């Protein structure tokens, strides 16, 4: 690795410019933090005129992230897991989902849908995922052939695949898929000016996006209350927790969580995977020659991409993590991206190795009750996406650099130019 | 012949299905959203898989002894 280790004291994770740095620079910065400032404290980043809070600790080592994540009574999610700033109460109507709840209520709500996301249940979806992928790739090839052979992988492949799958599971009609995608782009834009130009508008736009999604959900929920089908919405409106059905707010929040979490993450993993196979062609050749590599390859793509960069916890009492003291109320940000490159856990962590085994990455979260609900679904989508890409687009080449999302939260790729050469 | 018992702490289990993915013959998440052990006791040739499932359980709900 030729990147120079930065001065650990000069790193500021709250500066949005840090997240615009090239990936190797950011990785070097986290390596410096792991080595020299493993519990670095930072002032909170600005967010939409809200009063700045007291600051947060960056948890960057694998073992420390695991300790925080696996002790939910000491490090809770109830003060908000997806925002460093303490959010105003109005936003809870749309964004106060189970991801920012603690047990027992969190577990009760999660169990309503956990069956729908298990491996055996997802078997029933296999055909659907395959059909969706076939059509997406056929449409992408048409786009390429009608032009100069190029297309945007994100727009035509990695975004539509998880979108169509999660919408189908939820029962969202096809003609509303694009609207759903637009709202989730806003919500997870993270400060990238492509999506929100004016910071003053950020709060309003994020609220409106929540309202739009809640509106879609409201109509769908009514229909499913009248007539149940096998979809997730029917399960959501029918099931009772503690003898009560979920409130309208809870259903809206849940729906938004599934739309947001079910879209941005998997598409990011697929996009990073395609780019990595381009950067490391010997890995691509290895996988094509040996399809039995798929299981470890998919895990390595998730580790490499680390689509969700962090989640927040808040200390519920004075406590400690591997010898470091925290006070009640301290905000801790678990940096999964850094844990996933921890040199004390992963041999040659900066090597993209599709055979990496074991691979105890935290791309789906570290151990704990909030472990990714959609992990099996994501693995299946990524598996099918790459199998189909190898089968149907052996002539795919990356044609340019990825256009990266400028966000501390999602390691997103907005565009990835690719071309089909028509040869293979 | 050594067999073992597998138990799921239903307070801790949130139905991630990692046990089901590791050993679908031994574990299955039910409609109640928590995992259930499908066998009365774990046969010797499935012990390793059961232990791996327990080690990978993100909430430490699954125990094999």
């Amino acid at each position: 690795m030729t990147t120079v280790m930065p001065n650990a004291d000069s790193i500021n994770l709250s500066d949005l410019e840090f997240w615009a740095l090239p990936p190797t620079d950011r990785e070097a910065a986290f390596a410096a933090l792991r080595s020299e400032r493993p519990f670095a404290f930072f002032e909170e980043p600005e967010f939409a005129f809200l009063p700045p809070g007291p600051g947060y600790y960056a948890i960057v080592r694998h073992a420390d992230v695991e300790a925080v994540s696996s002790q939910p009574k000491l490090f809770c999610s109830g003060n908000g897991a997806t925002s460093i700033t303490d959010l105003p109460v109005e936003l809870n109507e749309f964004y106060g989902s189970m991801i920012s709840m603690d047990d027992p209520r969190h577990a009760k709500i999660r169990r309503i849908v956990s069956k729908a996301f298990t491996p055996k249940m997802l078997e029933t979806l296999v055909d659907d995922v395959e059909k969706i992928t076939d059509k997406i790739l056929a449409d992408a090839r048409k786009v390429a052939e009608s032009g100069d052979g190029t297309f945007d992988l994100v727009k035509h492949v990695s975004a539509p695949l998880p979108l169509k799958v999660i919408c189908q599971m939820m029962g969202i009609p096809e003609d509303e898929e694009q609207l759903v995608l637009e709202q989730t782009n806003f919500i997870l834009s993270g400060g990238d000016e492509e999506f929100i130009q004016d910071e003053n508008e950020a709060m309003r736009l994020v609220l409106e996006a929540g309202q739009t999604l809640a509106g879609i959900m409201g109509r769908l929920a009514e229909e499913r209350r009248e007539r149940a089908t096998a979809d997730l919405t029917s399960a959501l409106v029918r099931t009772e927790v503690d003898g009560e059905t979920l409130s309208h707010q809870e259903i809206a929040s849940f729906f938004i969580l599934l739309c947001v979490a079910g879209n941005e993450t998997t598409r990011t993993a697929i996009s990073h995977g395609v780019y990595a196979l381009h950067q490391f062609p010997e890995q691509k050749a290895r996988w094509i020659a040996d399809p039995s590599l798929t299981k470890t390859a998919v895990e390595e793509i998730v580790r490499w991409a680390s689509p969700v960069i962090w989640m927040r916890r808040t200390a519920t009492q004075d406590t400690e993590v591997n010898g470091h003291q925290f006070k009640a109320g301290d905000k801790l940000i678990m940096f999964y991206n850094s844990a996933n490159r921890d040199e004390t856990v992963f041999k040659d962590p900066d090597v993209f190795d599709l055979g990496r085994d074991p691979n105890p990455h935290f791309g789906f979260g570290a151990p704990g009750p909030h472990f990714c609900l959609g992990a099996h679904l994501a693995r299946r989508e990524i598996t099918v996406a790459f199998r189909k890409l190898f089968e149907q687009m052996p002539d795919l080449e990356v044609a340019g650099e990825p256009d990266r999302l400028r966000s501390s939260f999602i390691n997103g790729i907005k565009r990835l130019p690719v071309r089909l050469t028509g040869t293979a | 012949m050594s067999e073992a018992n597998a138990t799921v702490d239903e307070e801790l289990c949130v139905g991630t299905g990692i046990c089901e993915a590791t050993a679908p013959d031994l574990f299955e998440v039910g409609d109640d959203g928590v995992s259930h052990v499908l066998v009365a006791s774990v046969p010797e040739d499935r012990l390793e898989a059961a232990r791996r499932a327990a080690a990978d359980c993100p909430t430490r709900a699954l125990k094999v002894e």
Side-chain angles (χ1 to χ4, degrees), chain A residues 137-152 156 393 395-396 418-422:
Chain A
L137 294 186
D139 287 348
R141 186 173 286 279
K142 283 198 201 91
V143 167
E145 283 169 355
S146 69
D148 62 358
T150 62
F151 63 94
D152 172 12
H156 294 285
M393 289 188 168
D395 57 332
L396 180 78
V418 298
R419 82 167 67 84
L420 296 177
T421 62

Side-chain angles (χ1 to χ4, degrees), chain A residues 92-226:
Chain A
N92 283 344
E93 186 177 344
F94 305 121
Y95 303 110
S97 69
M98 66 174 171
I99 204 169
S100 291
M101 280 183 201
D102 297 311
D103 290 350
R105 188 148 189 92
H106 155 262
K108 285 176 172 155
I109 292 181
R110 175 149 176 165
R111 287 183 195 127
I112 292 172
V113 289
S114 54
K115 171 81 179 173
F117 287 88
T118 58
K120 284 178 184 169
M121 193 53 84
L122 292 176
E123 279 297 313
T124 65
L125 285 188
V126 161
D127 282 352
D128 288 347
V129 177
E130 302 237 342
K131 277 200 204 86
I132 288 170
T133 310
D134 284 336
K135 179 153 199 309
I136 283 171
L137 294 186
D139 287 348
R141 186 173 286 279
K142 283 198 201 91
V143 167
E145 283 169 355
S146 69
D148 62 358
T150 62
F151 63 94
D152 172 12
L153 182 91
V154 176
K155 177 173 177 183
H156 294 285
V157 178
S158 15
L161 170 54
L163 172 68
K164 286 175 183 298
V165 171
I166 198 80
C167 284
Q168 205 162 293
M169 286 178 77
M170 303 281 306
I172 298 167
E174 245 188 271
D175 59 14
E176 299 201 296
E177 281 170 4
Q178 211 35 49
L179 191 59
V180 168
L181 185 64
E182 280 158 22
Q183 308 321 304
T184 66
N185 276 343
F186 268 132
I187 292 164
L188 284 183
S189 59
D192 188 312
E193 280 170 9
E194 177 164 352
F195 299 103
I196 296 183
Q197 286 81 37
D198 183 348
E199 240 188 67
N200 304 336
E201 295 293 284
M203 184 70 77
R204 182 179 68 78
L205 286 168
V206 162
L207 261 174
E208 276 180 10
Q211 281 166 346
T212 304
L213 287 175
I216 296 173
M217 185 60 193
R219 282 191 299 281
L220 191 56
E222 267 320 296
E223 284 170 32
R224 294 297 180 266
R225 275 191 197 100
E226 299 265 317

